[in-house]
Amino acid sequence: MKNIVSLLNEFKKIGLTSFDGVTRCVYDENWLAAQKKYMQIASDYGLYTFVDDIGNVYATTEKNLGQKAFILSGSHMDTVINGGPLDGVYGTLASLISIGTLMKKFGHPKIPLVAVSFSEEEGSRFNTAFTGSRYLMNKLEDTVYGLRDHEGLSFNHARQNAVTQLKELASELKVTGLIHAFIELHIEQGPILEKKRQDIGIVTDIVGQKKLLIKCYGVANHAGTTPMNMRCDAMKKAVTLIHQLYAVFDEFVALRYTIGQIRVQPNAANVIPSEVDFSLDLRHKS
């Protein structure tokens, strides 16, 4: 069997971009190819493969889980646009290889072991995130199915097309048992462990998150003929507000906040902006 490094290199090619990143948005062709490859590796280990109605793929040590409690391990198969080659897939492959190796060496465990490749976490195609795990926990709202991507394709249409193809290769699974425990291996997406020269860490907090879109209004006018004291400039309002937000939020040590996206209308160099939208991402462990 191949080791995880060689497999990671193979999965990096599925959705490889010209910037040496990876793009696998939920239900697209690259995502589908990666989930199918995951299923093939599971079969090579002698594990049983299943898929549910949202596109989560499972590899289990039991042909029939039934009402049994089981230990679940895995991560997500989708990526952000031009994402890193380890985010998500490192955890999906690590759990799969670990469970497959244990199965080959020791046979069926007393408590069933289940590897999962969640369909989606990132929210990079539709304006929602964690749809795979939310579906598993019966927390997915019906409104998600009507969401549309930037091309106008609905979440439900894309889901049906992709899941139908997966179900041609694996049995359908409706999870009815109790998840006894869940464990996930993931890269650290920050600098803390590296700066401390530590190889591994254990998660101690799961942050809450709020995403806001803030809109500032102005009046579009000619950049050369409108006096400064007669302008209503949306950009000036936005810059002032952003400066104030940075000053206020710096007082909260444990807060992570990011203003990472700005849109300007009409977005012309010689026109006073009439609207400025900017994003605000807030995360805190309390």
Side-chain angles (χ1 to χ4, degrees), residues 238-249:
V239 169
T240 301
L241 179 55
I242 289 170
H243 177 73
Q244 292 171 343
L245 289 172
Y246 274 109
V248 171
F249 289 145

Side-chain angles (χ1 to χ4, degrees), residues 7-131:
L7 284 175
L8 285 168
N9 286 331
E10 290 181 19
F11 273 80
K12 180 180 178 180
K13 297 175 184 176
I14 307 176
L16 183 66
T17 71
S18 58
F19 298 99
D20 201 37
V22 182
T23 298
R24 281 194 301 268
C25 295
V26 64
Y27 307 138
D28 71 9
E29 292 183 359
N30 294 323
W31 177 92
L32 191 59
Q35 290 289 58
K36 287 180 177 179
K37 187 176 181 67
Y38 177 92
M39 293 163 71
Q40 182 57 58
I41 297 168
S43 297
D44 292 343
Y45 272 107
L47 299 172
Y48 303 98
T49 56
F50 301 92
V51 62
D52 64 20
D53 280 336
I54 207 70
N56 296 325
V57 176
Y58 305 88
T60 78
T61 56
E62 298 289 332
K63 191 172 185 179
N64 183 15
L65 283 175
Q67 298 288 330
K68 297 176 183 176
F70 58 91
I71 296 173
L72 184 68
S73 181
S75 194
H76 57 99
M77 187 56 78
D78 70 315
T79 72
V80 298
I81 304 299
N82 198 46
L86 299 179
D87 185 8
V89 71
Y90 183 30
T92 61
L93 293 179
S95 60
L96 182 62
I97 292 172
S98 298
I99 291 173
T101 301
L102 288 170
M103 179 79 164
K104 278 186 173 295
K105 188 172 182 179
F106 299 108
H108 292 270
K110 293 180 180 179
I111 298 178
L113 301 177
V114 181
V116 61
S117 175
F118 284 117
S119 58
E120 186 272 334
E121 181 199 81
E122 301 289 4
S124 53
R125 181 174 182 184
F126 301 95
N127 190 27
T128 188
F130 293 99
T131 54

Side-chain angles (χ1 to χ4, degrees), residues 33-285:
Q35 290 289 58
K36 287 180 177 179
K37 187 176 181 67
Y38 177 92
M39 293 163 71
Q40 182 57 58
I41 297 168
S43 297
D44 292 343
Y45 272 107
L47 299 172
Y48 303 98
T49 56
F50 301 92
V51 62
D52 64 20
D53 280 336
I54 207 70
N56 296 325
V57 176
Y58 305 88
T60 78
T61 56
E62 298 289 332
K63 191 172 185 179
N64 183 15
L65 283 175
Q67 298 288 330
K68 297 176 183 176
F70 58 91
I71 296 173
L72 184 68
S73 181
S75 194
H76 57 99
M77 187 56 78
D78 70 315
T79 72
V80 298
I81 304 299
N82 198 46
L86 299 179
D87 185 8
V89 71
Y90 183 30
T92 61
L93 293 179
S95 60
L96 182 62
I97 292 172
S98 298
I99 291 173
T101 301
L102 288 170
M103 179 79 164
K104 278 186 173 295
K105 188 172 182 179
F106 299 108
H108 292 270
K110 293 180 180 179
I111 298 178
L113 301 177
V114 181
V116 61
S117 175
F118 284 117
S119 58
E120 186 272 334
E121 181 199 81
E122 301 289 4
S124 53
R125 181 174 182 184
F126 301 95
N127 190 27
T128 188
F130 293 99
T131 54
S133 54
R134 283 158 60 197
Y135 178 85
L136 175 62
M137 302 306 296
N138 296 314
K139 299 289 186 181
L140 190 64
E141 305 89 347
D142 290 340
T143 52
V144 167
Y145 295 96
L147 295 175
R148 295 185 179 274
D149 64 13
H150 69 280
E151 295 181 349
L153 192 67
S154 75
F155 181 97
N156 199 42
H157 185 275
R159 177 193 67 84
Q160 289 176 328
N161 181 58
V163 173
T164 297
Q165 295 183 61
L166 292 180
K167 286 183 177 179
E168 294 174 357
L169 305 175
S171 303
E172 183 177 352
L173 177 70
K174 295 188 182 300
V175 178
T176 57
L178 174 68
I179 299 175
H180 179 74
F182 175 76
I183 186 170
E184 177 177 7
L185 180 65
H186 205 284
I187 62 164
E188 187 197 23
Q189 294 173 292
I192 297 172
L193 290 178
E194 185 175 358
K195 283 189 174 295
K196 291 184 176 181
R197 297 189 177 183
Q198 294 179 351
D199 292 331
I200 194 167
I202 298 175
V203 171
T204 57
D205 301 291
I206 297 176
V207 298
Q209 182 182 25
K210 285 286 185 183
K211 287 187 175 181
L212 305 177
L213 182 66
I214 299 173
K215 184 183 290 287
C216 296
Y217 293 98
V219 176
N221 239 321
H222 196 288
T225 59
T226 308
M228 300 305 293
N229 63 351
M230 299 178 68
R231 297 184 178 203
C232 183
D233 188 336
M235 180 61 77
K236 186 175 183 179
K237 293 180 181 181
V239 169
T240 301
L241 179 55
I242 289 170
H243 177 73
Q244 292 171 343
L245 289 172
Y246 274 109
V248 171
F249 289 145
D250 278 345
E251 299 296 320
F252 299 90
V253 178
L255 179 68
R256 304 289 191 270
Y257 65 93
T258 304
I259 298 170
Q261 188 176 58
I262 297 178
R263 298 191 187 96
V264 183
Q265 293 291 344
N267 200 29
N270 59 350
V271 179
I272 299 165
S274 59
E275 290 184 14
V276 174
D277 298 336
F278 64 90
S279 63
L280 178 59
D281 183 303
L282 298 165
R283 308 182 193 210
H284 198 284
K285 63 183 181 181

